[in-house]
Amino acid sequence: MGELSGKVAIVTGAARGQGRAMALALAGAGADVAICDVGEPAMPSVGYALGGALDAVAREIEAFGVRALHAACDIRRQAEIDAFVGRVLGELGRIDILVNNAGILTGNTPMHLLDDETFETTIAVNLTGSWRMSRAVVPAMIAGGNGGRIINIASVAGLIGTPGFGHYSATKHGLIGMTKTMAAELGAYGITVNAVCPGFLPTRMVEHTASEIGARAGLTQDEVYAQYLSVAHVKEPIQPEQTAASVLYLASEAARVVTGSNLVIDAGWSAT
């Protein structure tokens, strides 16, 4: 039996990349895992495909001998969130862990030139969506009386300025502020709230962003990646399994007194 046996976790944005890795890590530790991702192939202001094969990830979860639940859910829409959370409670019986991972990154535009749709969509997904999902889950955690873990996937961009991506940076700074506030509000219920701040992690989202930067600057994707790594002190990209290991720690009993914290996994990017 794994350390998280008998627990139920939700992971948003879990169709691929680090969301998938987090879901599998939690399942490997014995948790039943409910996963969701956006059902739309793309949002108008996002230039890369969203969503993915949730059913395939669910089968991978079930291979660990635990239960899986998957559903399309656009976290910009409260009705979809409420339906998803209701289904998790109805089918899996409880919610112990929430990983707010879903997010988007696009634009590569200075703040004063950014269009409304890009700014507002990024805020709606990365910040408001995480708040909406948390708002839906917390009452069930409190009612369950077993405490809980909320883990928000922020970014090194929530610790520094990111020219060209200020809208993204704003959402991640906001997510860290929300993390600290909710930690203070929910500690009395045994619910911890923490953030994970990854650095350069070459997911499909980052690949698309690198292509945008490269197209404007006349650089190849590898050259853009080299620029990302130039600001890190350990010259290697973060892997999804490394962020997943951080989530697993924060979900564990060992982290029961860790709350309001930012676990930074950025190869030293934010150190200077």
Side-chain angles (χ1 to χ4, degrees), residues 19-20 24 50 71 78 97 136 138 177 185 191 198 203 205 217 224 229:
R20 170 184 169 273
L24 296 181
L50 297 170
Q78 191 69 49
I97 301 159
V138 165
E185 293 172 343
I191 300 170
T203 60
M205 180 178 77
V224 175
L229 289 174

Side-chain angles (χ1 to χ4, degrees), residues 8-12 34-37 69-75 77-100 129-143 150:
V8 174
I10 289 176
V11 182
T12 68
I35 56 174
C36 65
D37 214 313
L69 181 156
H70 65 91
C73 179
D74 186 338
I75 62 171
R77 300 186 173 116
Q78 191 69 49
E80 293 188 25
I81 290 172
D82 291 342
F84 173 66
V85 170
R87 187 179 161 202
V88 174
L89 291 170
E91 296 185 26
L92 301 182
R94 57 191 287 169
I95 301 171
D96 302 281
I97 301 159
L98 168 62
V99 183
N100 282 313
S130 294
W131 165 67
R132 288 183 185 279
M133 184 63 75
S134 299
R135 183 175 64 175
V137 165
V138 165
M141 286 184 172
I142 293 174
I150 298 174

Side-chain angles (χ1 to χ4, degrees), residues 1-11 14 18-35 54 56-69 92 97 99 151 244-245 247-249 251-252:
M1 303 288 284
E3 180 181 0
L4 299 180
S5 180
K7 305 288 188 182
V8 174
I10 289 176
V11 182
Q18 66 179 1
R20 170 184 169 273
M22 292 165 189
L24 296 181
L26 292 164
D32 297 323
V33 184
I35 56 174
L54 278 172
V57 180
R59 289 194 296 271
E60 291 182 282
I61 291 168
E62 291 170 338
F64 287 99
V66 300
R67 295 178 295 172
L69 181 156
L92 301 182
I97 301 159
V99 183
I151 304 163
V247 166
L248 196 57
Y249 164 67
S252 74

Side-chain angles (χ1 to χ4, degrees), residues 143-197:
N146 300 304
R149 302 283 191 270
I150 298 174
I151 304 163
N152 296 318
I153 307 306
S155 168
V156 65
L159 305 172
I160 61 174
T162 54
F165 298 94
H167 53 306
Y168 179 79
S169 182
T171 67
K172 298 304 184 177
H173 276 82
L175 196 56
I176 290 171
M178 187 177 84
T179 296
K180 292 182 178 296
T181 300
M182 292 185 70
E185 293 172 343
L186 298 176
Y189 301 101
I191 300 170
T192 66
V193 189
N194 292 286
V196 175
C197 298

